[in-house]
Amino acid sequence: MAENCSRKLVVEICNAKNLMPKDGQGTSCAYVLVDFDGQRRRTKTKFRDLNPQWDEKLEFLIHDPESMASEILEVNVYNDKKTGKRSTFLGKVKISGSSFAKSGSETLIYYPLEKRSVFSQIKGEIGLKICYIDEDPPAADAAAPDQKSEAPPPPSEEKAAEKEEEKKEEKTEENKEDEKPAAAKEEEKPPEAPAISPPPDSVESPPIAHDEKPKQQIVKSVTGKRTDPGVNDLEIRSLGGNRSRSTYDLVDRMPFLYVRILKANRANSDTGSSIFAKLVIGTHSIRTKSVTDKDWDQVFAFDKEGLNSTALEVSVWMEKKDTETDTSTDTSLGNVSFDLQEVPKRVPPDSPLAPQWYTLEGSPENMSGTDVMLAVWIGAQADEAFQEAWQSDSGGLIPETRAKVYLSPKLWYLRLTVIQTQDLQLGSAPEPKTRGPELYVKAQLGAQLFKTGRSAISSSNSANPTWNEDLVFVAAEPFEPFVMITVEDASTGKSVGHSKIHVASIDRRIDDESEPRSRWFNLSGDETRPYAGRIHVRVCLEGGYHVLDEAAHVTSDVRAAAKQLAKPPIGLLEIGIRGATNLLPVKTKDGTRGTTDAYVVAKYGPKWIRTRTILDRFNPRWHEQYTWDVYDPCTVLTIGVFDNGRYKHDEAGKPGKDVRIGKLRIRLSTLDINRVYLNSYSLAVLHPGGAKKMGEIELAVRFSCSSWMNLLQAYTSPMLPRMHYVRPLGPAQQDILRHTAMRLVTARLARSEPPMGQEVVQFMLDTDTHVWSMRRSKANWFRVVGCLSRAAAFARWLDGIRTWVHPSTTVLVHILLIAVVLCPHLVLPTIFMYAFLILALRFRYRPRGPVNMDPRLSYVDAVGHDELDEEFDGFPTTRSTDKVRTRYDRLRSLAGRAQSLLGDVAAQGERVEALLNWRDPRATGIFVVFCLFASLFFYVVPFKAFLLGSGFYYLRHPRFRDDMPSVPNNFFRRLPSLSDQIL
């Protein structure tokens, strides 16, 4: 196998930081053991160093480059003990092969060391550089001896060793290694002679929940590769990458009649004429393309439920054209019939049905002996031939109606730091007593344009202004060729000079530890000024950020842009798009009746899927199943239903627009693991006239997870990559970059073939969430009120106790107050125990399935038609002047109330500041005297007595209360604010 290898993996073990001391003397003697594809390499031992530096390169053979992404690189760090003693585990790292970079683009990445068991005491991180090199196949005799893989121990011994190691390590941690050093010596030494373990025969999928209908079990065999004993069926399915042969267990199998027609022989016919075949089933009739000397090799798929006949007739015709009259005549060469009840059935992964020669019946006497080669079978939508076949339910071979998978472009942040300029050729020098010109730098990447602040030229910085400002762009692969930089004079608006940076030459970085190199670029003026100075910039592609290209509250991906930071998936999301019912007509067909040509779009992460379009049906049945890798459980799947208007063109040849039918979102964190949710969701769309129910869609959803530990660990890890926290972007800047990324994704998907409409992408990404909407404002306001309703209910309950509405409850609260003051150590245990009991009792009332869009929560029925029309109005407005004036007056009234609310909130804070800043000397003097007496009072009176006295005073009977406000309230209300200083 080695002599056929053309790729090798190079793993450079650079260093480690802050390792756990394991030798009992506060240090460790660390070495690294690396396993990849049945091969094992080891570094040297660094003695007595918690921050060892190796700088060793280890090489591995990649036997199958195509399956490299499915391999796992495992790096284990051990503490080397004396001869005859077992090594101590210091941590491990597992890296997916999909994150390996090509040679030349690798960077130093620090991976945190992971535990091997719950009781492991591990800390620190290890720095690695990983890349692969493609090279010519080496000669068989040139293989280096050190690259020969050794044989690991048999599987039974390896598993037993792992179990023994885990048990002894748990014992070591429980007994605390510093107290019982002898127990630490029982940790297992890693195997010295690795061997290739035989693969498992098969793996099975997780069992389905008891309340769901049984689904087909998925069996996948893995042969010829070393599989980690901890890898289960989900990881094998995720890493295998072969999704085309996955079973359709979330959807029903739709029967299709397949006809594959290849060619015909024409022994006695005119070879110069073209022939075609015609397929007829009842009222369904379709013909192949006309060919002369080529084969047809076409596949036709007929929806079996829509057939109105039990016989299939295939006929071959010869087409002759009369060049003088420009007409053609068709002559039948015969036909062959099939009884559909006798057609064989095929279910993948069965091999394709072999085509056969059939003699045509009814041929003319001068054209007898014509045969046709074809194959007829009954299959399902999972058949390999279905995607490229002519489909009866989706309009045949129309590209705009076929099922497709789209990928969003890979997005990066491009950071341009403008430092300074030198030797600017400004033409005439400014006079000494006049103000110099104000310069700024303008940078442009594609349609994105950003400017720095202005820097004035003075005698101190003569023609050498300094900015030190960052300009951040969104760059999409494939990148724009250049970044254009221009220095302009703000006073005259003229360009001082310009330069351009080739994007392909820009450095990439994935963390904040390495600062990109700064570069000088010459500035060019016009033809008379080839040199106008030079500019000093620092530019890099930021791979440590995740570029948000969708609304933050419905994000579906949080991974960093750099491939080196990719982590293996924690689960698998599977969705079965079964069908829709009771769809309303969206358009008219032939001007006589309503019709709907529906299809479904689903978006999760960078992967978009579009089902085939079912033409002219109000109850379409798709039964298509798709899968996504899941990297974070707190993400959202977005599903939209549309009416296809692009497969038809108007008189000018322009395609129509797709019409919204409805949308829903499913948050993965609300789904149980390995459970199938089969539900129908209502589809509603918002119009200027209000919300309209368009029908229902039936979906089957399953979220599978390979490890509960990985899933729970995801809840404790940061939501976004590290760069978002060490070098955060401002909220306003993030908002601008997000909308820029949305526009880039929309433009790139619109350039696909067939294109995904701009209106579809914008609807799925919620690009209009920043537009003013009275309805959304009301909905958000009542959301805030709903969140505060619990606090308001508690306040009402407390006021009822305070006013002795229920005397028995108030007496019990007095007793509870005494118990809390006298036994304060029981406060927190009691609170958490109550919380545990309340939440445990509420478990039975948890939501049983994914929730759908809520029209009541969206307040679509609580606003008027004019307010909805305002929401659908574009920017700038297209409505009449009177209507805009009415809406403006309404907005002014709402803004006035919000303005008053903001003023009241600000006044409360200003009163507190006035109390401490002597703005009212008498009030502050009173407060100073109060503080003096309060300090003496609390020095004499025990704090528990004060709490009891305050509680009893607060709960005193109403007959002992005063109807007027309290003294502290009166004092606070009299403090001054800054409201009287506002113009």
Side-chain angles (χ1 to χ4, degrees):
M1 176 78 72
E3 60 269 20
N4 297 328
C5 179
S6 61
R7 178 176 291 182
K8 66 178 181 180
L9 179 68
V10 179
V11 181
E12 183 175 354
I13 311 297
C14 298
N15 59 350
K17 299 179 181 179
N18 302 323
L19 295 179
M20 176 69 71
K22 289 285 187 177
D23 61 353
Q25 301 179 5
T27 61
S28 291
C29 302
Y31 70 92
V32 181
L33 204 64
V34 185
D35 292 284
F36 180 77
D37 194 15
Q39 308 167 59
R40 173 167 289 177
R41 303 285 182 269
R42 172 180 168 167
T43 66
K44 297 179 180 178
T45 301
K46 297 296 181 179
F47 295 96
R48 298 186 179 277
D49 193 352
L50 295 179
N51 299 284
Q53 187 85 20
W54 288 284
D55 293 328
E56 294 187 31
K57 291 186 178 181
L58 308 178
E59 296 185 357
F60 300 85
L61 298 178
I62 300 178
H63 302 91
D64 187 3
E66 295 182 356
S67 64
M68 182 186 70
S70 64
E71 298 291 345
I72 297 295
L73 175 71
E74 184 171 348
V75 180
N76 291 274
V77 185
Y78 292 94
N79 173 48
D80 195 359
K81 293 190 175 182
K82 298 179 181 179
T83 306
K85 303 294 183 179
R86 297 185 182 273
S87 296
T88 310
F89 181 71
L90 293 177
K92 68 176 182 178
V93 173
K94 285 188 176 182
I95 306 171
S96 173
S98 59
S99 63
F100 296 163
K102 194 172 183 180
S103 178
S105 60
E106 72 275 11
T107 57
L108 175 61
I109 303 177
Y110 284 93
Y111 298 90
L113 294 175
E114 301 175 359
K115 296 181 178 181
R116 185 166 52 191
S117 66
V118 179
F119 301 99
S120 299
Q121 290 185 357
I122 301 301
K123 71 173 184 177
E125 54 187 4
I126 185 170
L128 306 174
K129 285 185 180 180
I130 305 173
C131 68
Y132 62 89
I133 302 175
D134 292 323
E135 56 185 12
D136 296 332
D141 56 349
D146 59 346
Q147 291 185 352
K148 295 181 181 179
S149 59
E150 303 171 354
S156 58
E157 297 181 6
E158 187 175 0
K159 293 182 179 178
E162 289 182 356
K163 293 181 179 179
E164 180 184 357
E165 184 177 3
E166 292 178 0
K167 291 180 180 179
K168 293 180 178 179
E169 186 175 354
E170 291 176 6
K171 181 179 179 181
T172 302
E173 303 300 338
E174 291 175 354
N175 296 336
K176 297 184 180 179
E177 188 174 358
D178 55 344
E179 297 179 2
K180 296 183 179 182
K185 300 179 181 180
E186 298 300 323
E187 296 189 32
E188 182 187 359
K189 187 176 182 180
E192 295 292 343
I196 299 179
S197 58
D201 294 335
S202 62
V203 289
E204 297 183 355
S205 63
I208 192 171
H210 295 290
D211 55 346
E212 302 294 335
K213 65 179 183 179
K215 65 177 187 294
Q216 183 177 354
Q217 293 296 325
I218 301 170
V219 180
K220 269 193 173 289
S221 61
V222 183
T223 59
K225 290 187 179 180
R226 179 180 180 269
T227 305
D228 185 76
V231 177
N232 60 12
D233 60 332
L234 176 62
E235 293 176 345
I236 294 175
R237 290 171 58 192
S238 174
L239 298 175
N242 185 8
R243 303 287 174 82
S244 60
R245 300 182 66 86
S246 61
T247 56
Y248 279 44
D249 58 340
L250 297 182
V251 296
D252 297 338
R253 294 187 178 272
M254 296 181 63
F256 280 88
L257 174 64
Y258 288 92
V259 180
R260 182 176 184 180
I261 181 166
L262 276 79
K263 57 185 176 179
N265 62 353
R266 298 178 292 168
N268 300 327
S269 61
D270 185 5
T271 57
S273 60
S274 59
I275 62 172
F276 65 91
K278 184 184 295 185
L279 288 73
V280 179
I281 308 177
T283 57
H284 296 273
S285 178
I286 186 65
R287 57 171 288 177
T288 65
K289 57 187 177 182
S290 297
V291 297
T292 55
D293 55 351
K294 295 183 179 180
D295 301 336
W296 293 301
D297 197 8
Q298 289 183 259
V299 182
F300 301 87
F302 298 90
D303 185 5
K304 198 169 184 298
E305 295 181 355
L307 300 180
N308 52 10
S309 177
T310 59
L312 164 67
E313 182 180 292
V314 181
S315 57
V316 181
W317 298 73
M318 181 174 60
E319 183 180 26
K320 286 187 177 182
K321 290 188 177 181
D322 190 346
T323 57
E324 297 180 358
T325 60
D326 196 16
T327 59
S328 61
T329 57
D330 300 338
T331 303
S332 175
L333 301 182
N335 62 77
V336 59
S337 299
F338 297 89
D339 187 357
L340 300 186
Q341 297 180 356
E342 298 180 359
V343 173
K345 296 182 180 180
R346 176 184 177 266
V347 178
D350 293 346
S351 299
L353 191 65
Q356 301 180 20
W357 286 102
Y358 294 89
T359 303
L360 300 180
E361 300 177 358
S363 303
E365 295 181 358
N366 59 342
M367 298 181 183
S368 59
T370 302
D371 296 337
V372 62
M373 177 179 284
L374 55 86
V376 183
W377 73 94
I378 293 178
Q381 75 274 25
D383 201 294
E384 296 89 345
F386 181 73
Q387 296 299 329
E388 301 300 329
W390 178 96
Q391 300 167 0
S392 62
D393 59 351
S394 60
L397 293 173
I398 303 175
E400 290 80 6
T401 63
R402 312 302 295 270
K404 291 292 181 181
V405 175
Y406 299 84
L407 289 177
S408 297
K410 190 174 183 180
L411 302 177
W412 297 70
Y413 284 142
L414 189 148
R415 185 186 299 272
L416 174 66
T417 304
V418 181
I419 303 175
Q420 66 176 357
T421 56
Q422 287 184 357
D423 304 331
L424 291 183
Q425 307 298 321
L426 300 177
S428 59
E431 298 181 3
K433 295 184 179 181
T434 60
R435 184 179 181 182
E438 291 184 342
L439 303 180
Y440 65 89
V441 178
K442 179 178 68 177
Q444 183 174 2
L445 177 65
Q448 306 173 60
L449 190 147
F450 293 101
K451 300 178 182 179
T452 65
R454 298 181 181 183
S455 179
I457 297 294
S458 61
S459 58
S460 61
N461 63 348
S462 172
N464 297 324
T466 302
W467 288 275
N468 286 322
E469 291 188 29
D470 287 346
L471 303 179
V472 182
F473 301 84
V474 178
E477 294 184 357
F479 300 121
E480 298 285 343
F482 298 102
V483 177
M484 304 299 298
I485 302 177
T486 307
V487 181
E488 294 187 357
D489 187 350
S491 58
T492 62
K494 295 182 180 180
S495 172
V496 177
H498 64 272
S499 180
K500 58 183 181 181
I501 304 175
H502 196 245
V503 178
S505 65
I506 296 177
D507 298 334
R508 305 183 183 188
R509 71 169 183 174
I510 60 176
D511 53 31
D512 63 323
E513 296 182 1
S514 59
E515 190 72 17
R517 57 191 175 96
S518 59
R519 302 161 66 182
W520 288 93
F521 294 92
N522 290 337
L523 296 173
S524 302
D526 51 19
E527 296 179 356
T528 61
R529 295 186 303 122
Y531 176 77
R534 60 177 187 164
I535 186 170
H536 191 197
V537 298
R538 185 182 295 113
V539 59
C540 68
L541 287 168
E542 299 280 9
Y545 290 93
H546 168 70
V547 182
L548 293 172
D549 60 346
E550 51 195 343
H553 61 281
V554 292
T555 182
S556 60
D557 190 12
V558 293
R559 291 177 293 169
K563 183 180 179 181
Q564 294 88 341
L565 297 179
K567 296 181 179 180
I570 64 171
L572 194 69
L573 173 63
E574 299 169 275
I575 176 173
I577 304 174
R578 300 174 63 86
T581 56
N582 302 324
L583 295 182
L584 296 183
V586 175
K587 56 191 176 186
T588 59
K589 184 177 183 180
D590 302 328
T592 57
R593 63 182 181 87
T595 183
T596 298
D597 305 326
Y599 70 94
V600 181
V601 174
K603 193 262 182 190
Y604 184 80
K607 179 180 175 181
W608 300 63
I609 65 96
R610 187 183 73 178
T611 66
R612 67 187 189 279
T613 301
I614 306 298
L615 299 181
D616 196 16
R617 292 188 187 178
F618 298 129
N619 298 283
R621 311 303 293 173
W622 293 284
H623 286 291
E624 299 181 20
Q625 184 169 336
Y626 299 93
T627 59
W628 287 268
D629 286 328
V630 177
Y631 296 87
D632 194 293
C634 302
T635 46
V636 178
L637 167 70
T638 304
I639 301 172
V641 185
F642 302 87
D643 173 78
N644 196 331
R646 290 185 167 266
Y647 75 97
K648 290 185 178 180
H649 297 73
D650 56 14
E651 297 178 355
K654 295 183 179 180
K657 289 189 175 182
D658 297 341
V659 181
R660 307 171 181 178
I661 296 180
K663 180 173 61 177
L664 61 101
R665 300 189 186 95
I666 299 176
R667 185 170 291 274
L668 270 61
S669 58
T670 62
L671 304 178
D672 292 341
I673 302 300
N674 301 328
R675 176 184 174 186
V676 177
Y677 292 87
L678 181 59
N679 296 307
S680 293
Y681 305 87
S682 61
L683 298 173
V685 66
L686 190 62
H687 294 288
K692 185 177 182 181
K693 185 176 180 180
M694 303 295 294
E696 294 183 347
I697 183 173
E698 184 182 358
L699 301 174
V701 182
R702 177 172 60 217
F703 174 37
S704 306
C705 184
S706 58
S707 171
W708 271 98
M709 293 299 297
N710 293 340
L711 184 63
L712 297 179
Q713 185 180 5
Y715 279 88
T716 62
S717 60
M719 188 71 179
L720 294 172
R722 181 176 180 270
M723 285 291 288
H724 286 269
Y725 305 99
V726 296
R727 295 196 64 176
L729 302 172
Q733 188 179 27
Q734 279 189 348
D735 192 60
I736 294 174
L737 294 175
R738 181 168 61 248
H739 286 94
T740 302
M742 289 180 179
R743 288 193 295 269
L744 283 174
V745 172
T746 302
R748 292 292 179 91
L749 292 180
R751 289 162 50 188
S752 303
E753 185 59 37
M756 182 173 286
Q758 178 181 356
E759 64 278 4
V760 175
V761 180
Q762 291 178 349
F763 184 60
M764 297 288 290
L765 294 180
D766 287 339
T767 57
D768 59 346
T769 53
H770 65 288
V771 180
W772 162 257
S773 169
M774 180 70 71
R775 176 187 60 84
R776 286 198 185 101
S777 300
K778 289 184 177 181
N780 291 336
W781 169 257
F782 285 105
R783 286 171 59 195
V784 174
V785 173
C787 293
L788 298 177
S789 61
R790 296 293 182 184
F794 177 77
R796 289 193 298 269
W797 175 79
L798 194 61
D799 186 70
I801 293 176
R802 180 173 176 266
T803 55
W804 291 71
V805 175
H806 301 288
S808 57
T809 306
T810 306
V811 172
L812 291 177
V813 171
H814 280 79
I815 298 175
L816 179 63
L817 176 63
I818 297 174
V820 167
V821 173
L822 297 181
C823 303
H825 61 280
L826 297 179
V827 175
L828 291 180
T830 304
I831 292 176
F832 284 109
M833 180 56 68
Y834 281 172
F836 167 76
L837 294 176
I838 292 173
L839 294 177
L841 292 175
R842 289 184 178 180
F843 178 75
R844 69 174 73 178
Y845 305 109
R846 71 190 188 281
R848 298 293 181 175
V851 295
N852 194 11
M853 298 290 188
D854 191 348
R856 183 189 60 82
L857 184 63
S858 304
Y859 274 80
V860 294
D861 298 328
V863 292
H865 293 289
D866 184 65
E867 295 171 340
L868 288 174
D869 182 73
E870 180 185 13
E871 181 176 346
F872 282 89
D873 189 12
F875 187 85
T877 181
T878 57
R879 301 301 187 262
S880 63
T881 305
D882 294 338
K883 184 169 290 187
V884 173
R885 182 181 292 110
T886 303
R887 293 174 179 175
Y888 178 65
D889 291 340
R890 180 178 61 203
L891 184 60
R892 288 178 62 190
S893 64
L894 290 176
R897 291 198 291 267
Q899 171 183 296
S900 301
L901 177 62
L902 291 176
D904 294 340
V905 173
Q908 308 306 318
E910 291 167 354
R911 288 191 175 104
V912 176
E913 292 182 356
L915 183 65
L916 304 176
N917 293 336
W918 293 86
R919 288 191 57 224
D920 185 345
R922 285 173 293 277
T924 307
I926 294 173
F927 182 68
V928 168
V929 175
F930 169 78
C931 292
L932 176 61
F933 282 98
S935 64
L936 299 176
F937 174 79
F938 285 109
Y939 180 77
V940 176
V941 178
F943 186 67
K944 292 183 178 180
F946 169 74
L947 288 180
L948 282 177
S950 300
F952 287 150
Y953 179 78
Y954 179 78
L955 298 173
R956 68 191 184 278
H957 199 272
R959 70 177 60 182
F960 302 109
R961 299 179 188 273
D962 191 3
D963 296 336
M964 302 303 291
S966 62
V967 173
N969 189 19
N970 296 332
F971 181 78
F972 183 78
R973 296 283 293 179
R974 290 179 176 275
L975 293 174
S977 67
L978 301 181
S979 301
D980 53 351
Q981 301 180 22
I982 302 296
L983 290 177

